[in-house]
Amino acid sequence: MASNRTYDQITIGETATVSRTCTANDLYIFAHASGNTNPLHLPRAEGSERTGEPPFAPSMWIGALVSAVLGNILPGPGTIYRSQTFSFHGRVLLGDTLNVSVQVVAKEADRTVRLATRVSRPDGTAVADGMAVVTAPDEQIIFDTTDLPALLLERHRHFDRFISCARRLPPLVTAVIAPEDANSLGGALLAANDGLIRPILIGDRAKIEKTAQSLRASLEAFEIEHVPDESDAAARGVAMVHEGRVSAVMKGHLHTDLLLKHVVKRDGGLRTRRRISHVFVMDVPGHPTPVLISDAAINIAPDLETKVDIIQNAINVGLAIGLDEPKVGILSAIETVNPAIASSLDAAVLSKMAERGQITGGLVDGPLAMDNAIDLQAARTKGINSLVAGRAEVLIVPNLEAGNMLAKELTFLAHAETAGLVAGAKVPVILTSRADDDRARLASCALALLYQYWLTTGASIVTGDMDPAE
């Protein structure tokens, strides 16, 4: 709650100060509100670092901080701005903390108040100063400063962080199977140019080269193995894993079933003791952590034993991307055990198995409905006392249909970005959809690189946040 100072209450020499840290969200919101989309002021925008300096805050964003003090504290609610002068003395970078101060220097007729304004760093160095002239309120006003609609920025900072961390690793040598259309070849070349993978292209050479010509891309730096038949190309990619030539397999322009047939075959495949499963990693704008969904692409109606492997695979992917003891919510239609709903029974058994150490590395709880799995208030309302409820980072769905619908709802309604990976095989298998854009393919390759690093070392390279000022 904010309470103002009326004209009669204000005294000459009176001061007010607030502190504010510059965040990436501040710069994006200011760009939308003002229409100033100068890339010098936008994090990671093309052209933002042409001067050799990181993005910095627009001067008028700095000036706008003064209006917050005038409008909220001194004089406070009811204040009307009349004029403002500014001199700017320095640039403000992401993460910089500022002290914003106003001081009353004069009271004049018609409730006019003059205030010296100053924006400075914690060490006292001035960033901006000037003079404000306002009309002060003549009656007491108390205002609820929290009564504002929430804002959701469509930003994907989790994938930004994954890609940035993956770039610190050597590129993953990857067999790309039948990259014979623009999407699959373009995605592989994009990831290669970004330093995430070193692709070996396996398929019909003529089709691959024709596709490259349509993309105006050069293939001189890449190895091509001519295997015209798609099934044979998939078999060759899997064989190259056993030869030690590649450390990942990536789907190109062929059916998923055809690739997986060779991945899971008993002789010469990539099977391990665990059942393979697919893990979607979703970067949902505004959500504090990535959201993992499994299985939405391979196991159609998994039984209890298969769900154990699905959960373990998803936990391992979560650990690879830096989640500390991933919180796993096993979804059902309800949050109580009902013998008539098979998924609720499975969830209860799986939770108990995790308690007994049959599933490791994460916290597992269920059954949970979608609302009380991801929303803490919903969990509290229903009286669910759990370390997972309301905080789930991994969502285990009862079947492929539910998982597929959930992933697409988050993509097309919540504007999530999506990466996908097959886990449980000897090496990561990158499955991309024809509907995936370049960003999704890039994120999937980064995910594979991070997962392979975890498989090799047992540790995650993903640390920190891309935006420490958020």
Side-chain angles (χ1 to χ4, degrees):
M1 304 298 291
S3 178
N4 64 355
R5 299 278 290 164
T6 66
Y7 177 81
D8 292 336
Q9 293 171 331
I10 293 170
T11 60
I12 294 176
E14 190 171 352
T15 64
T17 302
V18 299
S19 294
R20 178 69 175 264
T21 299
C22 180
T23 72
N25 282 356
D26 290 328
L27 303 189
Y28 287 122
I29 291 171
F30 186 83
H32 278 283
S34 68
N36 177 7
T37 57
N38 184 344
L40 295 177
H41 306 310
L42 295 176
R44 290 183 297 282
E46 183 179 353
S48 63
E49 298 187 7
R50 289 178 182 172
T51 62
E53 298 180 0
F56 56 92
S59 295
M60 289 312 298
W61 176 82
I62 301 170
L65 300 180
V66 172
S67 69
V69 184
L70 296 173
N72 293 337
I73 305 175
L74 182 64
T79 298
I80 299 175
Y81 234 140
R82 303 293 295 274
S83 66
Q84 174 76 61
T85 62
F86 275 123
S87 294
F88 298 99
H89 308 294
R91 291 178 175 176
V92 174
L93 306 180
L94 286 178
D96 284 355
T97 298
L98 304 174
N99 294 324
V100 187
S101 304
V102 302
Q103 182 176 30
V104 178
V105 296
K107 294 177 66 177
E108 301 173 357
D110 298 325
R111 306 201 322 270
T112 299
V113 178
R114 294 183 181 271
L115 304 99
T117 60
R118 179 181 172 85
V119 182
S120 60
R121 304 186 188 280
D123 64 2
T125 304
V127 172
D129 53 33
M131 185 68 65
V133 179
V134 303
T135 298
D138 61 353
E139 61 179 357
Q140 198 78 45
I141 299 175
I142 297 176
F143 179 73
D144 185 354
T145 59
T146 65
D147 189 21
L148 287 174
L151 290 178
L152 176 62
L153 288 181
E154 190 176 321
R155 295 186 56 213
H156 301 98
R157 58 191 179 93
H158 301 305
F159 280 5
D160 289 342
R161 182 161 51 103
F162 296 163
I163 293 170
S164 177
C165 291
R167 287 184 182 127
R168 304 204 301 262
L169 297 171
L172 190 65
V173 183
T174 303
V176 185
I177 313 301
E180 298 164 1
D181 72 323
N183 283 342
S184 59
L185 182 60
L189 297 182
L190 177 68
N193 293 332
D194 220 60
L196 299 177
I197 68 171
R198 181 162 65 81
I200 297 177
L201 310 176
I202 306 173
D204 188 308
R205 180 184 293 272
K207 291 181 180 179
I208 294 171
E209 291 177 345
K210 183 177 180 180
T211 301
Q213 289 176 358
S214 70
L215 295 172
R216 298 182 179 179
S218 172
L219 298 179
E220 290 183 5
F222 306 110
E223 180 180 350
I224 302 176
E225 287 214 10
H226 178 59
V227 184
D229 182 80
E230 291 179 351
S231 180
D232 291 343
R236 179 63 189 137
V238 169
M240 291 175 71
V241 174
H242 294 285
E243 295 169 7
R245 293 189 57 195
V246 301
S247 299
V249 176
M250 183 175 181
K251 173 181 174 287
H253 188 59
L254 75 166
H255 288 294
T256 299
D257 289 348
L258 188 56
L259 174 59
L260 293 181
K261 180 182 76 171
H262 293 281
V263 170
V264 303
K265 62 187 179 184
R266 292 190 178 276
D267 295 326
L270 303 178
R271 295 167 65 122
T272 64
R273 289 181 298 175
R274 189 176 300 129
R275 187 77 172 260
I276 70 165
S277 57
H278 185 270
V279 182
F280 272 124
V281 179
M282 317 290 292
D283 189 344
V284 184
H287 199 73
T289 69
V291 176
L292 281 64
I293 299 172
S294 193
D295 183 349
I298 295 178
N299 295 286
I300 298 173
D303 58 18
L304 184 65
E305 186 176 3
T306 301
K307 287 180 180 179
V308 172
D309 289 342
I310 288 172
I311 295 171
Q312 191 63 67
N313 288 339
I315 288 174
N316 292 348
V317 173
L319 293 171
I321 62 173
L323 296 179
D324 182 20
E325 199 172 28
K327 301 175 183 66
V328 182
I330 307 174
L331 297 184
S332 184
I334 55 177
E335 62 281 349
T336 56
V337 177
N338 184 334
I341 302 177
S343 61
S344 72
L345 288 172
D346 282 355
V349 174
L350 291 164
S351 298
K352 180 58 68 173
M353 292 175 74
E355 287 182 16
R356 299 291 172 86
Q358 293 172 269
I359 301 171
T360 62
L363 298 173
V364 181
D365 194 19
L368 294 171
M370 183 64 182
D371 57 349
N372 47 63
I374 62 170
D375 186 89
L376 195 57
Q377 186 56 48
R380 287 172 176 168
T381 298
K382 294 190 176 182
I384 303 173
N385 184 19
S386 164
L387 294 175
V388 175
R391 306 177 180 89
E393 299 157 325
V394 180
L395 301 175
I396 302 299
V397 295
N399 53 51
L400 183 146
E401 292 171 300
N404 189 274
M405 286 186 280
L406 176 56
K408 289 180 178 177
E409 286 163 1
L410 290 177
T411 301
F412 293 101
L413 292 178
H415 307 288
E417 284 191 340
T418 304
L421 186 71
V422 174
K426 291 181 179 179
V427 297
V429 179
I430 305 166
L431 290 186
T432 53
S433 167
R434 286 172 295 177
D436 286 342
D437 58 16
D438 285 346
R439 171 77 168 180
R441 296 172 189 273
L442 190 66
S444 293
C445 290
L447 178 61
L449 185 52
L450 296 171
Y451 181 60
Q452 179 62 21
Y453 180 83
W454 182 86
L455 287 175
T456 304
T457 67
S460 173
I461 196 175
V462 181
T463 56
D465 198 304
M466 287 293 293
D467 295 310
E470 289 189 327

